[in-house]
Amino acid sequence: ADIGAIADVSGCVSGSRLSVACVVTNPEDMAVTPDRQFIIVSEFGGIGPLNDIGPGSLALVDAQTKARVPLPIIYSDNTWGDATCEKNVDSPFGPHGLDLVKRADGRYQLGVINHMDHESVEMFELVAVAKEPTELQQTKESWEGAAEITPRNKWGLIWRGCVAAPKVNYINDLSLLVDGSFFVSHMYPHEFSTNDFLRVALTKEATGYVLHWDRQNGFSQVNGTEGAQPNGIAYDEARSLLYVAFN
């Protein structure tokens, strides 16, 4: 159906058809919190070959007020990732694609692609916190057994581990499963140039594929997923269908 002309929102002014929130930088991917009141946004730092890799962050936006609200992150033990992957509060962070899933154990897991230091997937537990986040940044114990979810609870993250990607892979997006495993898209090799990027935009030749990771087997390439610059992915676990967006 024809929806008519789209209003110009470059000035960050909401109109009758589009509501605009200009409170994040380089928004790349997003997930809605379980109470459907907030949006988690990855603020993209950049990747090659079109720009330099740079730092970014995770933002939390109130879906009703359109205001950015605090999203405190604390670091705990690596229980959801690969034990050989180590990070702390001072580790560089360049987020890209993300996904949020309710695990089989009832907890909420947020996975985030990280390009800085080395390619990795960072694992966080999303928890509802009834108090102001600033009161909960000091100790992990303040977060354990977080309050029951209510419509206006704020949210926080507990780092639960990471998984370092193989050195040959340049990853983009991921889709989490309820058991904590995931699919991730490998776009193209690290040495991919701007000319390669432009050429493949025309030729659509295969440059990458999808990987699967679980704690028992690590990474493995998924057969039949080769294509031109695999980007966004989504796995429908109920139907065992993997959707992959190619260029």
Side-chain angles (χ1 to χ4, degrees), residues 2 13 15 20 22-23 37 40 57 70 99 103 110 118 136 152 182 184 191 207 217 226 230-231 233 240-241:
D2 181 10
V13 177
V20 183
C22 298
V23 294
Q37 300 297 314
I40 304 168
S57 61
D99 192 27
R103 293 164 51 96
L110 179 74
H118 53 72
L136 298 172
R152 301 312 301 168
F182 58 83
V184 65
E191 63 271 17
T207 64
N217 303 299
E226 299 82 3
N231 196 309
I233 60 173
S240 297
L241 287 173

Side-chain angles (χ1 to χ4, degrees), residues 39 48 102 113 135 174:
I39 303 168
K102 186 176 183 179
I113 301 294
E135 298 179 24
L174 80 158

Side-chain angles (χ1 to χ4, degrees), residues 120-141:
S120 63
V121 178
E122 307 296 320
M123 300 300 183
F124 301 91
E125 181 178 0
L126 178 69
V127 293
V129 291
K131 299 179 182 179
E132 288 300 313
T134 53
E135 298 179 24
L136 298 172
Q137 293 178 4
Q138 298 179 7
T139 64
K140 183 179 73 171
E141 288 74 21

Side-chain angles (χ1 to χ4, degrees), residues 62-217:
D62 189 311
Q64 293 186 16
T65 67
K66 303 183 184 66
R68 182 171 181 152
V69 297
L71 180 63
I73 301 174
I74 59 175
Y75 281 74
S76 185
D77 299 329
N78 186 341
T79 55
W80 287 356
D82 183 338
T84 63
C85 187
E86 298 180 359
K87 298 291 175 68
N88 57 53
V89 67
D90 297 318
S91 299
F93 186 45
H96 199 151
L98 56 78
D99 192 27
L100 178 66
V101 68
K102 186 176 183 179
R103 293 164 51 96
D105 61 11
R107 295 190 287 176
Y108 292 98
Q109 181 171 349
L110 179 74
V112 185
I113 301 294
N114 178 20
H115 293 300
M116 294 204 70
D117 196 14
H118 53 72
E119 297 285 291
S120 63
V121 178
E122 307 296 320
M123 300 300 183
F124 301 91
E125 181 178 0
L126 178 69
V127 293
V129 291
K131 299 179 182 179
E132 288 300 313
T134 53
E135 298 179 24
L136 298 172
Q137 293 178 4
Q138 298 179 7
T139 64
K140 183 179 73 171
E141 288 74 21
S142 299
W143 289 54
E144 304 298 345
E148 180 181 352
I149 297 172
T150 59
R152 301 312 301 168
N153 271 4
K154 289 185 173 67
W155 296 91
L157 296 173
I158 304 173
W159 184 87
R160 295 292 189 193
C162 58
V163 179
K167 291 183 178 180
V168 299
N169 294 123
Y170 208 176
I171 53 180
N172 186 306
D173 195 17
L174 80 158
S175 185
L176 290 168
L177 282 68
V178 298
D179 64 358
S181 64
F182 58 83
F183 291 98
V184 65
S185 56
H186 161 65
M187 298 180 291
Y188 40 66
H190 287 275
E191 63 271 17
F192 208 66
S193 68
T194 302
N195 286 338
D196 292 330
F197 187 90
L198 296 173
R199 185 188 74 254
V200 173
L202 297 174
T203 65
K204 310 301 182 187
E205 63 194 78
T207 64
Y209 44 81
V210 172
L211 294 164
H212 177 264
W213 179 88
D214 62 49
R215 292 177 64 89
Q216 291 72 36
N217 303 299

